[in-house]
Amino acid sequence: LQASNEELDTSNAELQSMNEELQTAYSEMRALKENLEISNLKLRTSEFNLRAILDSSSQGFILIDRNYLIKEFNKFVMNRAFEFFGKKMQIGDSMFDFVVPGDITDFKRNLDLAFTGRFIEVEKKIPAGSENYWYRFTYVPIAGDTDKIDMVM
């Protein structure tokens, strides 16, 4: 009987130790969850603020990846794309769908140069109906975490 009591005492001590470890782990996980929620809130706030800045600009911004796909854009670009091409720009679209057909070769060359790290600036007259508009296009290389140029703006 005394041996059984000692085994129960040992088992009880082990369970109590495990319970303390679980409580500690739970507290740590709760703290991590709270930190993650705070980080997510800060990230959403930062994204909201950046979107507000970009969308209130009278300049167009487009992020284009190495496959010439649109990764991001602001409202100015979206509105101009619809005016000129009659279609809604969406993330994942080919950038070439929003370039005047006669300018595709020059546009691709400028993008490719920007992907080598060069800043390119071009002024271009673009006809739209009976009007002509002058635009300045600036191709800005954007490096990712690895310092490799992943996108052009």
Side-chain angles (χ1 to χ4, degrees), residues 49-106:
N49 292 341
L50 182 58
R51 174 59 54 195
I53 290 168
L54 289 175
D55 282 344
S56 64
S57 176
S58 62
Q59 292 183 335
F61 298 97
I62 306 173
L63 282 178
I64 304 165
D65 71 10
R66 287 187 166 273
N67 295 314
Y68 310 107
L69 299 179
I70 298 169
K71 301 309 277 182
E72 193 60 70
F73 54 88
N74 67 346
K75 282 185 182 178
F76 181 88
V77 169
M78 181 179 69
N79 292 336
R80 287 296 183 269
F82 191 78
E83 282 179 38
F84 284 111
F85 299 100
K87 68 188 263 187
K88 184 178 175 185
M89 181 179 281
Q90 295 182 17
I91 292 172
D93 284 346
S94 170
M95 190 57 221
F96 298 117
D97 292 342
F98 299 95
V99 177
V100 176
D103 292 338
I104 287 178
T105 302
D106 289 342

Side-chain angles (χ1 to χ4, degrees), residues 15-140:
L15 286 173
Q16 191 171 356
S17 176
M18 272 196 221
N19 187 34
E20 290 171 5
E21 288 176 18
L22 285 172
Q23 286 179 347
T24 301
Y26 176 75
S27 295
E28 289 173 358
M29 288 179 66
R30 190 172 62 219
L32 288 171
K33 182 182 178 223
E34 289 172 4
N35 287 339
L36 182 61
E37 288 172 351
I38 291 168
S39 294
N40 282 337
L41 178 61
K42 287 179 180 177
L43 179 61
R44 284 193 306 272
T45 301
S46 178
E47 288 174 348
F48 175 81
N49 292 341
L50 182 58
R51 174 59 54 195
I53 290 168
L54 289 175
D55 282 344
S56 64
S57 176
S58 62
Q59 292 183 335
F61 298 97
I62 306 173
L63 282 178
I64 304 165
D65 71 10
R66 287 187 166 273
N67 295 314
Y68 310 107
L69 299 179
I70 298 169
K71 301 309 277 182
E72 193 60 70
F73 54 88
N74 67 346
K75 282 185 182 178
F76 181 88
V77 169
M78 181 179 69
N79 292 336
R80 287 296 183 269
F82 191 78
E83 282 179 38
F84 284 111
F85 299 100
K87 68 188 263 187
K88 184 178 175 185
M89 181 179 281
Q90 295 182 17
I91 292 172
D93 284 346
S94 170
M95 190 57 221
F96 298 117
D97 292 342
F98 299 95
V99 177
V100 176
D103 292 338
I104 287 178
T105 302
D106 289 342
F107 180 78
K108 184 179 181 310
R109 184 186 68 244
N110 291 332
L111 271 177
D112 290 342
L113 285 171
F115 277 117
T116 68
R118 292 184 51 194
F119 287 77
I120 309 295
E121 192 167 87
V122 176
E123 288 189 7
K124 191 146 196 70
K125 180 171 70 172
I126 298 178
S130 62
E131 301 283 327
N132 287 315
Y133 295 93
W134 280 95
Y135 283 93
R136 175 177 293 146
F137 296 93
T138 305
Y139 300 78
V140 180

